[in-house]
Amino acid sequence: MKPTTIHTSTFVKPLICIPLIMGLIFFSNCAPKGNDPYREEWISLFDGSNYQDWTPKFTGYPLGENHNASFVFQDSLLSVRYQEKDSFNGGFGHLFHKKKFSHYRLKATYRFVGKQMTGGPAWAIRNNGLMLHSQDPKTMGIDQDFPISLEMQLLGGDGEHERTNGNLCTPGTNVVIKDSLIMDHCVTSTSKTYHGNGWVTIEALVLGDSLMQHILDDKVVMEYSKPTIGGGMVEGYLDSAYEEGKPIKEGYISIQAETAPIDFKSIEVLDLCGCTDKKAKNYKSYYVKSDNSECIY
């Protein structure tokens, strides 16, 4: 919001000007400072330095081990990289941010680069994903391939064929689309194909389990709701984490390493859950879910 500028004429008599100035000073001293309830405060999940906020988990390896240094933090980018000597053996990887979210907007800018890892499956060419409402990585089995989650799929075109982006894949989950329970593993979006290695910005709107949208070029290309645990398409999970039919209302955000090199320039979240008391110093008008335990007075 552009600040308001007060203009005073040079021809105003001092007797009128001084009370006006004193009034402005008094108003300024009494007005709340530091918080604009209408200004969006995005959280940078990756700002080029906060690497400690992310934890890797690879199939067959303990939580925290960055197998073959596949996740790379360099040149202010978060990247997935593979060496020429590397060969795929089923070891999918995921990198988890430390914070759990329920109601939020997510925005990421990425690009595909280079060639696929040797031996990678054909479907994984120029393929990554932002895993939404992921299970806690601490609850994953040592040999688990994917977290129980909802994947906002990132797909790059091959320069020749049509290939929609922002699709939905559901490892260990089911969703509802237009009042129908969807048990298919992947559902195609309505997006265009994104060819080349240029930067692409994708967004998600997540409102607990009531609404989830994938957005490209300001257009909703995928919409669903009421995610629950179930449906298969995840292996190696612990029985304690797989509560079939349980609603998924919150979770972690993770990115994938599944044989396609990729760069992330930024990953940001606008938390939509917080203090909704207008009297509080940290009230925000855009919060859609109240957590007044966070209020500061």
Side-chain angles (χ1 to χ4, degrees):
M1 181 181 294
K2 185 177 180 180
T4 301
T5 303
I6 300 175
H7 298 280
T8 56
S9 171
T10 56
F11 297 100
V12 175
K13 294 181 180 180
L15 187 61
I16 299 175
C17 185
I18 290 174
L20 175 62
I21 293 173
M22 294 301 294
L24 290 174
I25 292 173
F26 176 79
F27 178 79
S28 176
N29 287 338
C30 292
K33 296 180 180 179
N35 179 54
D36 179 351
Y38 302 101
R39 185 181 68 246
E40 295 181 347
E41 295 188 359
W42 287 78
I43 303 167
S44 180
L45 301 191
F46 172 71
D47 61 9
S49 63
N50 55 342
Y51 317 135
Q52 71 281 357
D53 292 346
W54 296 84
T55 302
K57 173 66 182 78
F58 282 83
T59 307
Y61 295 88
L63 180 65
E65 182 171 336
N66 188 11
H67 179 57
N68 283 347
S70 298
F71 290 112
V72 180
F73 301 95
Q74 188 174 350
D75 300 327
S76 296
L77 299 175
L78 192 167
S79 305
V80 176
R81 290 290 185 271
Y82 300 100
Q83 305 298 322
E84 287 188 13
K85 64 179 180 178
D86 293 343
S87 181
F88 181 68
N89 62 358
F92 294 113
H94 294 82
L95 187 67
F96 293 81
H97 188 262
K98 67 178 183 180
K99 188 173 180 180
K100 183 188 293 186
F101 295 95
S102 65
H103 293 65
Y104 61 94
R105 288 168 57 193
L106 172 66
K107 183 188 301 182
T109 300
Y110 70 93
R111 66 181 178 189
F112 286 104
V113 295
K115 296 181 179 180
Q116 184 186 25
M117 179 186 189
T118 301
W123 55 261
I125 295 173
R126 297 171 67 80
N127 186 340
N128 199 285
L130 289 159
M131 318 302 279
L132 313 176
H133 278 1
S134 289
Q135 70 179 104
D136 187 334
K138 295 176 182 178
T139 67
M140 291 179 65
I142 188 72
D143 295 322
Q144 190 168 337
D145 50 1
F146 299 96
I148 298 169
S149 58
L150 301 149
E151 177 185 352
M152 180 167 67
Q153 194 178 47
L154 312 180
L155 283 183
D158 61 6
E160 185 176 350
H161 303 94
E162 294 299 312
R163 199 182 196 208
T164 56
N165 194 7
N167 306 312
L168 168 67
C169 292
T170 55
T173 55
N174 296 317
V175 301
V176 170
I177 298 179
K178 296 181 179 179
D179 297 323
S180 296
L181 180 65
I182 305 299
M183 302 182 70
D184 295 337
H185 176 50
C186 288
V187 184
T188 302
S189 79
T190 59
S191 88
K192 68 178 184 180
T193 302
Y194 289 77
H195 295 294
N197 294 340
W199 292 105
V200 177
T201 296
I202 192 168
E203 300 183 44
L205 172 66
V206 181
L207 302 179
D209 67 344
S210 64
L211 177 67
M212 306 182 85
Q213 295 178 334
H214 303 174
I215 303 165
L216 283 157
D217 296 326
D218 296 322
K219 297 179 181 178
V220 176
V221 299
M222 171 63 62
E223 182 173 299
Y224 53 97
S225 64
K226 299 178 182 177
T228 54
I229 295 176
M233 300 307 296
V234 60
E235 298 180 357
Y237 59 83
L238 301 177
D239 290 340
S240 57
Y242 194 88
E243 301 179 52
E244 189 158 1
K246 180 181 179 180
I248 304 173
K249 300 184 178 183
E250 62 181 6
Y252 296 85
I253 295 168
S254 65
I255 66 171
Q256 295 184 321
E258 50 180 19
T259 75
I262 193 172
D263 292 331
F264 287 91
K265 181 163 61 175
S266 64
I267 304 175
E268 300 174 287
V269 163
L270 181 67
D271 199 346
L272 300 179
C273 179
C275 176
T276 57
D277 185 347
K278 293 182 179 180
K279 298 178 182 179
K281 296 179 180 179
N282 58 336
Y283 160 75
K284 288 294 183 180
S285 63
Y286 55 79
Y287 288 148
V288 299
K289 181 177 175 59
S290 294
D291 183 2
N292 287 346
S293 66
E294 297 291 327
C295 291
I296 300 172
Y297 297 95

